[in-house]
Amino acid sequence: MALPKPISDEFLQQLARDARTHFGRGRVARYIPALAEVRPDQFGLAICYRDGRLQTAGDAHTGFSSQSISKVLALVMAMRSTDVRKLWQRVRQEPSGMAFASLVQLESENGIPRNPFVNAGALVVVDILCDAQFLVLHRMREFARALCDDPTIGYDVRVARSELDNTARNAAIGWLLKSFGNLNGRVERVLEVYCHFCALHMSCAQLARCCNFLCNGGVNATTGERLLTREQARRVNGLMLTCGLYDASGTYAAQVGLPSKSGVGGGLLAVLPGEFTVCAWSPALDSLGNSIVASWALERLVEHIGRSPLG
Ligand SMILES: NC(=O)CC[C@H](N)C(=O)O
């Protein structure tokens, strides 16, 4: 397959300048106190092509809290380390149409979360990882570091602590999962690991490189290592397309059409299969917890290149 043509640098730099005119809309996440301190007027974008080339604009090298984007990495780790048939018995692969921390469906659907990207599903994935491996926090950090060949990646422990001290809703989800027999470990331990995963501190450039294998049929362009089979990579992309932005997934898929995953740190990771992985970041969020300016930027990007997996 021919290598994708790079997007013009001029377009990307202009996109970063135009993004600034949208500052002031939305609000940074405040329910995690440490995230409330982040300056909203920041924007970065990084594209990592299938062959590993990187292109950046704006604050692409500024670190931020990956939050729910880390659920993609947790899922990939679980798919690599456990029996996936068991995984899909404990977590479904359907959009939820509900807020990411909702308890409603979990109760009516007998403790089986809709998908691995809502908090309930991610807690089950974390539980599976804790069961399968020792030193799971260390392993996740090493996994992220190895994926982009960057030993500087780590957890922002202050953000993890701040969320752990304010995580009543996730605790409620954890206990509800436990009551249905869908959580083996101690709820406190699963929450601790979950909040640390969410507190992985990475830049747009690091996240785009790290998840490059999703545009490359499961193979990491930097190291040449196969992380997932082609079928598994397609599955992760499919879940991102249908469930990656929670109850905004449908509108976003119709508007942007790229498999994507958002996080309340303001990051938005997206994949154009066969071509590139892109990460846009701007901290201010809409009411559903997705970055307003990052979504705007990805919509412009798709418009500019004139194609998406959906046509
Ligand atoms: N959408 C998100 O990024 C949510 C992640 C966050 N740590 C939470 O559990 O609430």
Side-chain angles (χ1 to χ4, degrees):
M1 206 187 335
L3 284 176
K5 268 211 344 248
I7 291 157
S8 93
D9 216 40
E10 210 182 320
F11 168 77
L12 280 191
Q13 303 313 323
Q14 187 59 44
L15 186 70
R17 279 192 294 274
D18 290 349
R20 310 193 72 82
T21 65
H22 293 271
F23 289 166
R25 293 164 59 201
R27 304 180 107 165
V28 299
R30 281 173 307 165
Y31 73 102
I32 301 173
L35 293 185
E37 298 163 14
V38 176
R39 258 184 37 225
D41 55 341
Q42 304 185 73
F43 172 81
L45 186 135
I47 297 177
C48 186
Y49 293 92
R50 205 182 77 222
D51 59 353
R53 274 172 303 159
L54 191 72
Q55 205 176 9
T56 59
D59 305 310
H61 296 283
T62 305
F64 60 90
S65 200
S66 63
Q67 292 298 317
S68 281
I69 299 177
S70 70
K71 290 172 181 165
V72 176
L73 293 180
L75 173 63
V76 170
M77 260 176 82
M79 287 170 85
R80 283 162 57 80
S81 61
T82 46
D83 178 352
V84 281
R85 275 168 318 184
K86 287 196 186 132
L87 166 66
W88 299 127
Q89 279 163 11
R90 292 179 61 184
V91 186
R92 295 173 64 204
Q93 301 173 74
E94 291 295 338
S96 69
M98 296 244 168
F100 55 80
S102 172
L103 285 137
V104 178
Q105 266 166 353
L106 198 59
E107 167 72 359
S108 62
E109 298 184 356
N110 302 317
I112 308 295
R114 276 289 173 110
N115 63 68
F117 297 149
V118 290
N119 290 11
L123 288 169
V124 171
V125 169
V126 166
D127 184 51
I128 288 171
L129 286 172
C130 290
D131 258 357
Q133 327 189 311
F134 292 115
L135 302 172
V136 72
L137 284 178
H138 170 79
R139 278 174 189 259
M140 168 58 100
R141 195 184 54 197
E142 293 311 305
F143 186 52
R145 287 179 174 181
L147 281 175
C148 50
D149 190 23
D150 186 338
T152 65
I153 293 169
Y155 299 110
D156 184 333
V157 182
R158 213 173 66 86
V159 171
R161 261 267 76 82
S162 174
E163 179 164 18
L164 261 175
D165 290 341
N166 294 276
T167 203
R169 184 165 276 272
N170 285 327
I173 295 173
W175 283 108
L176 196 53
L177 287 166
K178 189 104 186 144
S179 75
F180 281 109
N182 199 9
L183 203 97
N184 298 329
R186 281 192 309 113
V187 174
E188 294 81 356
R189 172 67 183 151
V190 171
L191 290 173
E192 190 189 352
V193 173
Y194 171 83
C195 290
H196 277 82
F197 281 8
C198 289
L200 259 179
H201 194 76
M202 294 172 75
S203 66
C204 291
Q206 288 168 329
L207 277 164
R209 280 187 77 190
C210 190
C211 294
N212 171 271
F213 62 93
L214 290 175
C215 78
N216 196 27
V219 175
N220 180 332
T222 310
T223 60
E225 189 194 349
R226 176 167 288 287
L227 287 141
L228 296 177
T229 64
R230 186 167 282 280
E231 189 276 333
Q232 285 174 322
R234 193 183 307 127
R235 184 177 298 265
V236 175
N237 286 335
L239 287 167
M240 286 170 66
L241 183 69
T242 51
C243 316
L245 276 82
Y246 318 109
D247 37 348
S249 299
T251 312
Y252 179 84
Q255 263 164 12
V256 180
L258 299 180
S260 301
K261 184 73 207 80
S262 62
V264 293
L268 185 55
L269 175 82
V271 185
L272 181 53
E275 300 206 20
F276 59 72
T277 306
V278 51
C279 182
W281 167 64
S282 193
L285 310 176
D286 63 18
S287 59
L288 303 179
N290 300 311
S291 168
I292 294 180
V293 183
S295 310
W296 168 86
L298 290 193
E299 201 179 331
R300 289 289 85 76
L301 182 70
V302 167
E303 204 176 83
H304 175 75
I305 60 177
R307 60 189 183 280
S308 87
L310 309 183

